[in-house]
């Protein structure tokens, strides 16, 4: 799309005929619109955001856990994008909302196996 006309002609490319035109003509503008839509959805669903702006999800067993959320989508309770994530000593390394925190995958799998064994 950005190639000079001569380069396209030499390659036998005719945009829109034997090579598709861009589906999204202005990718930067569409990215901004998409980010605004995500933020608006998050503002309407504050119950799924933690006080630090992360997503809060409910697992099939009913337990809640925190999942990573890109900085650009972390909002406070007023719906404003957070500049810095507040941390206090009592929440370091732990999730105040019942999540698994920073445990490794092996530890998480071990807990899941233990829970499964306890149910059977």
């Amino acid at each position: 799309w950005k190639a000079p006309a001569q380069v396209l002609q030499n390659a036998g490319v005719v945009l829109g005929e034997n090579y598709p035109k861009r589906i999204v003509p202005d990718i930067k503008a569409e990215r901004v619109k998409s980010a605004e839509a995500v933020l608006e959805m998050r503002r309407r669903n504050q119950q799924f955001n933690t006080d630090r702006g992360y997503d809060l999800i409910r697992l099939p067993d009913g337990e809640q856990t925190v999942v990573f959320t890109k900085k650009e989508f972390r909002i406070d309770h007023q719906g404003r994008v957070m500049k810095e994530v507040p941390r206090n000593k009592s929440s370091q390394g732990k999730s105040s909302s019942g999540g698994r925190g920073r445990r490794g995958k092996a530890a998480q799998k071990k807990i899941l196996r233990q829970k499964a064994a306890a149910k059977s």
Side-chain angles (χ1 to χ4, degrees):
W1 304 290
K2 294 181 180 181
Q6 188 60 43
V7 171
L8 294 174
Q9 184 179 2
N10 290 345
V13 172
V14 179
L15 293 176
E17 289 185 27
N18 63 1
Y19 195 87
K21 290 186 178 182
R22 282 185 173 217
I23 294 171
V24 179
D26 187 347
I27 194 79
K28 288 181 182 178
E30 294 303 318
R31 169 75 176 86
V32 169
K33 284 173 33 181
S34 175
E36 286 298 324
V38 169
L39 286 169
E40 182 56 33
M41 180 272 309
R42 291 179 58 75
R43 288 179 182 115
R44 286 192 315 264
N45 295 281
Q46 291 271 332
Q47 71 273 23
F48 299 111
N49 299 335
T50 69
D51 60 340
R52 294 177 54 219
Y54 288 89
D55 289 345
L56 180 63
I57 63 169
R58 185 169 305 281
L59 300 174
D61 67 359
E63 182 181 349
Q64 287 186 327
T65 191
V66 176
V67 294
F68 179 79
T69 305
K70 291 177 74 171
K71 286 182 182 180
E72 66 188 300
F73 298 130
R74 294 181 200 160
I75 58 173
D76 63 19
H77 290 294
Q78 286 76 39
R80 298 175 301 222
V81 175
M82 300 174 87
K83 298 298 178 197
E84 289 186 29
V85 178
R87 296 222 29 156
N88 59 41
K89 291 185 185 235
S90 65
S91 70
Q92 287 183 345
K94 296 187 242 176
S95 170
S96 60
S97 55
R100 289 188 290 243
R102 296 180 182 247
R103 291 185 192 147
K105 286 187 179 187
Q108 291 175 8
K109 286 180 181 180
K110 181 178 178 182
I111 290 169
L112 290 174
R113 283 193 303 271
Q114 290 171 342
K115 284 183 179 181
K119 287 182 182 180
S120 57

